[in-house]
Amino acid sequence: YALVLAFFGGMIMNIMPCVLPVIAIKVLSFVQQAGESRSRIFALNLTYAIGVISVFLGLGTLATFARIGLGQLFQYDGFNVVMACVVFAMGLSLLGVFEFQLPGSVGGANEHEGLPGAFFTGILATLLATPCIGPFVSGVLVWSVTQPAAVIYLIWGTLGLGMASPYLLIGMFPSLINR
């Protein structure tokens, strides 16, 4: 039951307001992918998914060894300042104040996203999504912190897989990009 909640909670995180700044980046990425080979589209979306899942596994590591849940992270001023700076920079970028380039993505609109850019976009999307996690899976995550390490990693990894699943589907079925 906890795995199902974690997976669907992860999927729902893709449509939460916290992730909207990154959705613009992913939509542009999908537009660029439209002319790519099937294997390249799969590689980009798999790399994005690995970025997403790696953050959740990192959070699972905090839950395992420090017994810090996601809600507790937001009680640390340093974490909140970093998150506020990231969101502020993304907002300025979307307003056109400056162009925000992720490492591994390349310069102009005619060029294509690289694998490092896809990975860091996955990390960024996940970091921005973390404040929106509460209403959907907070009970499962709080419960997971009291479990053995294998269960914690399974729950947090499944949450990441849920968030990454739409991109994995697009990677496997590139014709979904047209939709």
Side-chain angles (χ1 to χ4, degrees):
Y1 178 71
L3 291 174
V4 170
L5 286 177
F7 183 81
F8 285 112
M11 284 182 60
I12 290 170
M13 287 174 62
N14 284 299
I15 58 171
M16 298 303 292
C18 304
V19 183
L20 293 179
V22 179
I23 295 295
I25 294 170
K26 267 322 275 177
V27 168
L28 289 174
S29 169
F30 289 146
V31 168
Q32 289 176 347
Q33 290 176 18
E36 298 283 347
S37 70
R38 185 179 179 130
S39 61
R40 175 90 172 139
I41 292 170
F42 181 73
L44 288 168
N45 286 297
L46 179 62
T47 305
Y48 176 87
I50 291 169
V52 168
I53 293 168
S54 68
V55 172
F56 282 108
L57 291 177
L59 293 170
T61 299
L62 281 176
T64 300
F65 296 107
R67 297 294 179 195
I68 295 176
L70 189 57
Q72 291 171 301
L73 279 177
F74 289 98
Q75 295 175 4
Y76 295 108
D77 292 336
F79 182 78
N80 288 328
V81 167
V82 168
M83 291 301 294
C85 289
V86 168
V87 171
F88 185 69
M90 288 295 297
L92 291 176
S93 176
L94 290 173
L95 291 171
V97 174
F98 61 88
E99 188 172 332
F100 183 72
Q101 286 290 333
L102 293 170
S105 55
V106 288
N110 295 330
E111 298 183 39
H112 298 283
E113 174 183 35
L115 295 178
F119 179 78
F120 287 112
T121 302
I123 289 174
L124 181 62
T126 307
L127 291 176
L128 290 175
T130 54
C132 293
I133 206 168
F136 299 104
V137 291
S138 59
V140 171
L141 297 181
V142 169
W143 169 80
S144 78
V145 174
T146 65
Q147 301 304 305
V151 174
I152 293 172
Y153 281 112
L154 189 59
I155 294 294
W156 288 81
T158 302
L159 182 63
L161 183 63
M163 186 173 174
S165 63
Y167 306 100
L168 290 171
L169 278 172
I170 288 172
M172 289 186 285
F173 305 104
S175 62
L176 292 174
I177 292 174
N178 297 333
R179 293 188 176 100

